Amino acid sequence: MEQSLSIFFDQTVNGLVIGNIYGLIAVGLAVIFGVANLINFAHGSVYMVGAYVGWYSIMQLGLPLPVAFVVVAVICGILGILIERVGLRPLHGSARIAPLLATIGISFILDQLVQILFTPDPQRFESPIPAIRIPIGTTSIGLLDVLIAAVAITIATLLYVFLRYSKLGWALRATSQDREAAQQMGVDVNQVNRIAFALAAILGGIAGLLVGMYFQTVYPTMSAQAVLKGFAANLLGGLGSIPGALLGGLLLGLVESYGVALFSTSYRSLFAFIIVILMLLLRPNGLFNPKRQLPPEPLTGTFIPNNKRIHIPVWATVLGGVVALSLPFFFPNPYVMQVLTNAWLIGMVALSVTLVTGTAGQISLGQAGFLAIGAYTASLLTLRLQLPFELALLCAALFTAALGTLIVLPAFRLRSHYVAIATIGISEIINQIILNWRPVTNGALGLTNIPPPSLLGHEIVRPQEVYLFAFALLVGVALLQWKLINSPLGRVWRAVREDEVAAQAYGINLNYYKGLAFAVSAFIAGLSGAFMAHMYTYINYQTFTIPLSILALTMAILGGMGNILGAIVGALVLTILPELFRDLMDFRYLMYGVMLVALIRFRPQGLLGTE
């Protein structure tokens, strides 16, 4: 009994410690959401930068911990101001989805810059706090635990005083309640935005420093998990509520700590993602927010302005298809074949994005989850049930369409930023299930010896044959999508995209048509994932991750949202360009991030225009 109580106490302390850090991350998100009505996906990257700045200050420069805190606060504060001024303020007046996507691009840029500067390898971060344990009854608590709690409480108190009693705090609160009214009363909303982003960045950076010391390591990919944990804590407390964010962080930390004790550490991230989905569906206002808020307005359409798309003659499209089809016979270079095969397969994912987001107006950032379902389904059907590849390919695509739609179905009731968060959360839940469902998926080891693609018993292994198979799939799904978009169904999808309220007033069943859009999108992505798995012959839970979803979205935006040919052109450009500059391969995702931000700022309609 005494040992059980000791374990319970230890888990509670661990949960509260990590919960304090989640609370700091969540408060930063709450500040920005309250002032700018924006989900800042770059906040996790700022947190990661803070962790690296703290690590470098202490481990490389030998600075004392108090000085390291100041350095982290200054650098992250400046970074927050730059994000607001350079990345987001120029988008003022754009549709509301534009700054959200811009923060995703900024996150890519920051993550890749850190990876280039400090390598992708984790860096050991030895805590400067002595490993002293303070005895409490039959157990003890670490000095670092006390420091983290003290920092969180101190920051929360200072933040409360700042917001409650300072003029800048009043301005920030007024802007968060009614931006236009605050501006009419003489509040400089641009200054308020700068303060909000700087304040949020400082909180995120300090949280990163504390996490680095607590887990004694920092690494470039720590940003994605952090921002999702911050969202989960924010949703628990209520988006935009600072006290709720702190309480939500503590609750999330306790749930994770107890969950790890009951199951294992591999389930840690799963709890946060499940909380995100449950809170979005059951109580989007949060557990601690007594106010019943109106549902947010839908992000009608995309951020794309009305424009005249570039008309490509049918004969030019056909000629391009003939050239692509003839290429393996006249230029059968294996390297070129592999690069273009990758372009066709990721082009299918871009097509799935441009359908559900560009045509139907549903912001999906979780296409990687559909790829994973298709890949694992096809692989298991051929490995375990010995099904022929052609049948496994079709079954995987159909299963992905059915399961993917079923999983996303609860999110159809959501609007605005919530849809984007839900699709990311769903994709990560799929990823975590693959990691932990070891009897079926083989866990972190993944699936090996997946048979190569085949057709009527003939194995497709030569690069030219794989190229032609992938190209045929791309052409097939492009023609299917073209047929659907130009049918009455396509007109209904566009009506839902342009104005959900008006479409519903005309008797359109929103959930039904959203479901159809996601089903077709998931079918296309599942087909691509299934072929990728057999082409690679090995997959694991890290094969299909969030960056792949963002890459497909960037391709769709580059070509022109809703534009079928544009998605294929975007896939070709963003697949071939890195290969042309192969010596700069480390800069690939940096280039994707810069291109995404630049497109949203200067050419949101894409190269070929929108449909």
Side-chain angles (χ1 to χ4, degrees):
M1 181 65 179
E2 184 175 320
Q3 184 179 5
S4 298
L5 287 175
S6 177
I7 294 174
F8 174 78
F9 179 82
D10 289 341
Q11 294 301 328
T12 301
V13 170
N14 291 337
L16 291 174
V17 169
I18 199 67
N20 277 306
I21 296 173
Y22 291 160
L24 291 177
I25 300 171
V27 167
L29 289 168
V31 169
I32 292 175
F33 185 84
V35 171
N37 193 28
L38 171 68
I39 298 294
N40 181 17
F41 281 94
H43 191 63
S45 298
V46 176
Y47 151 95
M48 179 268 299
V49 169
Y52 267 88
V53 171
W55 163 79
Y56 192 83
S57 299
I58 293 171
M59 298 297 295
Q60 304 298 317
L61 301 179
L63 298 179
L65 182 58
V67 177
F69 270 109
V70 173
V71 172
V72 168
V74 170
I75 291 180
C76 289
I78 294 172
L79 180 58
I81 293 173
L82 288 174
I83 289 173
E84 187 277 332
R85 182 66 186 86
V86 179
L88 300 178
R89 192 183 300 179
L91 299 175
H92 179 67
S94 302
R96 290 162 55 218
I97 191 62
L100 183 146
L101 294 176
T103 62
I104 294 174
I106 292 168
S107 176
F108 261 48
I109 293 170
L110 293 177
D111 289 355
Q112 192 65 18
L113 282 174
V114 169
Q115 187 166 313
I116 292 169
L117 289 173
F118 300 107
T119 77
D121 301 325
Q123 304 291 339
R124 180 164 178 79
F125 191 171
E126 296 180 3
S127 173
I129 302 298
I132 297 173
R133 307 290 300 182
I134 302 172
I136 300 177
T138 58
T139 184
S140 63
I141 183 172
L143 197 58
L144 179 58
D145 300 339
V146 175
L147 173 66
I148 291 174
V151 169
I153 293 170
T154 301
I155 288 176
T157 303
L158 293 175
L159 188 60
Y160 173 81
V161 172
F162 168 74
L163 294 174
R164 185 88 176 174
Y165 299 106
S166 71
K167 289 185 179 180
L168 286 177
W170 296 343
L172 195 149
R173 289 165 60 198
T175 305
S176 68
Q177 292 174 8
D178 193 324
R179 183 184 182 88
E180 293 183 359
Q183 194 168 14
Q184 291 173 0
M185 294 298 292
V187 174
D188 185 347
V189 293
N190 287 333
Q191 183 187 31
V192 169
N193 276 347
R194 284 196 300 270
I195 294 170
F197 273 84
L199 186 60
I202 290 170
L203 295 175
I206 290 174
L209 169 58
L210 294 174
V211 163
M213 291 194 302
Y214 188 75
F215 291 107
Q216 297 188 347
T217 185
V218 294
Y219 49 95
T221 56
M222 63 192 292
S223 60
Q225 295 293 323
V227 76
L228 289 172
K229 300 294 179 66
F231 287 153
N234 232 307
L235 289 168
L236 278 170
L239 279 176
S241 170
I242 292 175
L246 289 169
L247 292 172
L250 292 173
L251 184 56
L252 176 61
L254 289 171
V255 169
E256 278 195 6
S257 184
Y258 296 145
V260 167
L262 291 173
F263 300 98
S264 69
T265 54
S266 62
Y267 287 87
R268 177 184 294 275
S269 296
L270 184 61
F271 302 120
F273 302 136
I274 291 175
I275 286 174
V276 166
I277 301 303
L278 290 178
M279 291 304 300
L280 285 172
L281 298 177
L282 302 179
R283 195 175 173 85
N285 292 327
L287 295 176
F288 308 110
N289 192 347
K291 296 180 181 179
R292 178 67 179 175
Q293 300 175 349
L294 294 174
E297 295 180 5
L299 295 176
T300 53
T302 64
F303 65 96
I304 309 300
N306 293 326
N307 69 95
K308 185 176 180 180
R309 70 183 182 88
I310 298 175
H311 179 69
I312 306 296
V314 175
W315 65 264
T317 304
V318 174
L319 178 61
V322 171
V323 171
L325 189 63
S326 306
L327 200 60
F329 303 101
F330 297 98
F331 193 66
N333 183 288
Y335 172 71
V336 173
M337 292 295 98
Q338 184 61 59
V339 170
L340 291 177
T341 299
N342 292 337
W344 304 145
L345 293 175
I346 194 64
M348 292 171 64
V349 187
L351 284 173
S352 74
V353 172
T354 205
L355 172 68
V356 75
T357 301
T359 302
Q362 306 306 304
I363 307 302
S364 175
L365 301 179
Q367 298 300 105
F370 298 150
L371 281 167
I373 293 174
Y376 270 86
T377 301
S379 302
L380 291 170
L381 287 175
T382 53
L383 287 172
R384 307 282 173 84
L385 300 183
Q386 307 300 315
L387 288 186
F389 170 73
E390 306 94 304
L391 183 58
L393 188 71
L394 179 60
C395 289
L398 292 172
F399 181 73
T400 305
L403 182 60
T405 307
L406 184 64
I407 293 172
V408 178
L409 183 63
F412 292 166
R413 59 182 288 193
L414 302 174
R415 292 178 174 180
S416 187
H417 312 301
Y418 294 157
V419 179
I421 299 172
T423 53
I424 286 181
I426 289 168
S427 177
E428 285 300 298
I429 287 174
I430 292 170
N431 186 278
Q432 291 297 310
I433 290 174
I434 290 172
L435 172 62
N436 291 288
W437 199 6
R438 296 180 184 86
V440 175
T441 64
N442 208 24
L445 297 178
L447 299 177
T448 58
N449 297 320
I450 302 171
S454 63
L455 184 62
L456 301 177
H458 171 68
E459 287 193 348
I460 309 295
V461 291
R462 294 177 59 228
Q464 298 93 326
E465 295 174 337
V466 176
Y467 169 93
L468 290 172
F469 204 143
F471 182 70
L473 288 177
L474 175 74
V475 171
V477 298
L479 290 174
L480 170 66
Q481 194 162 318
W482 178 82
K483 184 70 175 175
L484 291 174
I485 288 176
N486 290 283
S487 70
L489 175 60
R491 289 194 288 273
V492 173
W493 279 337
R494 287 191 287 273
V496 173
R497 176 192 70 189
E498 295 303 326
D499 195 326
E500 287 189 10
V501 176
Q504 194 170 24
Y506 274 92
I508 293 175
N509 187 328
L510 297 180
N511 287 350
Y512 175 75
Y513 286 101
K514 288 179 184 178
L516 286 178
F518 269 99
V520 177
S521 176
F523 177 88
I524 295 172
L527 198 67
S528 178
F531 192 89
M532 285 183 188
H534 286 269
M535 184 180 73
Y536 296 151
T537 71
Y538 168 76
I539 54 173
N540 69 1
Y541 77 103
Q542 293 179 318
T543 306
F544 307 104
T545 54
I546 289 177
L548 189 56
S549 297
I550 307 304
L551 172 58
L553 176 66
T554 306
M555 291 173 173
I557 295 174
L558 175 61
M561 273 295 190
N563 192 317
I564 295 174
L565 185 59
I568 298 173
V569 170
L572 275 171
V573 170
L574 290 188
T575 304
I576 292 174
L577 274 181
E579 298 299 330
L580 293 178
F581 302 97
R582 195 165 182 81
D583 292 339
L584 303 175
M585 284 296 286
D586 291 341
F587 295 84
R588 171 180 292 198
Y589 281 103
L590 177 63
M591 181 189 73
Y592 294 153
V594 171
M595 185 170 291
L596 179 56
V597 173
L599 282 170
I600 294 167
R601 174 69 179 89
F602 299 108
R603 181 76 182 175
Q605 67 269 33
L607 296 176
L608 302 186
T610 58
E611 291 281 355

